[in-house]
Amino acid sequence: MSRLITYREALNEALAEEMERDEGVILMGEDIGVFNGAFKVTEGLHARFGAARVRDTPIAENTIVGMGIGAAMSGLRPVVEIMTINFSLLAFDQIVNHAAQVRAMFGGQVSVPLVLRMPQGGGHRLGATHSHSWEALFWHVPGLIVAVPSTAADAKGLLKAAIRSDDPVVFIEHEHLYAQRGEVADTGADDVGELGRAAVRRSGDDVTLIGVSRMAGTALAAAETLAAEHGVQADVLDPRTLRPLDLGTILASVRRTNRCVVVEEGWPTGGVGATLAALVGEHAFDHLDAPVARVTGADVPMPYAAELERAAVPDAAAVVRAALGTLRQA
């Protein structure tokens, strides 16, 4: 049995079920309690579980994350909400120098079972300080797990897995996805995802499309256009987590299709696509019939004007052009 629910509702269910299962799971963040969260992901949880477990915090990201790290090291399983990923910069020292390093610095004697939930991405006219995509920043850091779920089912399953993980997890939610509906299995507390396993969203033998976060849906839409209008069958992969990365599934696909296009909303320099292109080149160079292509967000601060913002975010047409470009180079 399954139900059709939104990405936002799936996240809310995951939080509620894990709080019911484990009294050590607590939530912290700005406006997540009485106000139910800026994006309403925590709606109803303050009333259901009380102020001691759903804590409204001051506007002080470095302090919030620091408190979460301390609580995690003391035996709790905190889930900290950063209102947007841009604000995580204010807590970067706590995330990179502490959450990610504690296990190694203490010789494995102390763990940090902490989840940092962060909405990100463009499309809502929130401007340059609220709309960027920074999964590449966190992917760079050893000691962190980085999840980028693109469907309601993965949002629920991977958040439950993140809460049960003994290592810190940066859990990135694209704001565009919150209202998107998807099938979610009706299996309750047992519906736990697997961190480090990519999903094959569509099968094909002509080109591999790798879409990250919201771009997994964009890649899928492009694949349907490629099939309908150009007779090209694309393999569409959704990594779901970047660290750990399911490189085996990616390489198996590229070795079959001999072409690869990476689609991300983040900036091109030092981005996810750059690293994936390097990995494919290092491990599957002899199988490539064309250079790995990248479709990225525009290399500019995210514009506020609606038309400019749309132009800064990759669309399916750009993915189609990139895929056809790799085929013309054969």
Side-chain angles (χ1 to χ4, degrees), residues 27-37 46 51 54-58:
L27 313 184
M28 295 192 292
E30 299 158 4
D31 288 336
I32 68 163
V34 176
F35 188 64
N36 292 315
H46 182 270
V54 182
R55 291 178 175 263
D56 281 316
T57 64

Side-chain angles (χ1 to χ4, degrees), residues 93-138:
D93 176 62
Q94 289 290 348
I95 297 170
V96 176
N97 276 336
H98 299 279
Q101 312 303 329
V102 162
R103 180 187 284 278
M105 288 196 301
F106 286 89
Q109 299 180 77
V110 182
S111 60
V112 183
L114 169 70
V115 179
L116 300 169
R117 294 185 39 247
M118 303 180 191
Q120 76 165 15
H124 292 80
R125 299 193 67 196
L126 295 176
T129 59
H130 291 66
S131 306
H132 289 133
S133 296
W134 284 349
E135 54 267 35
L137 289 181
F138 296 104

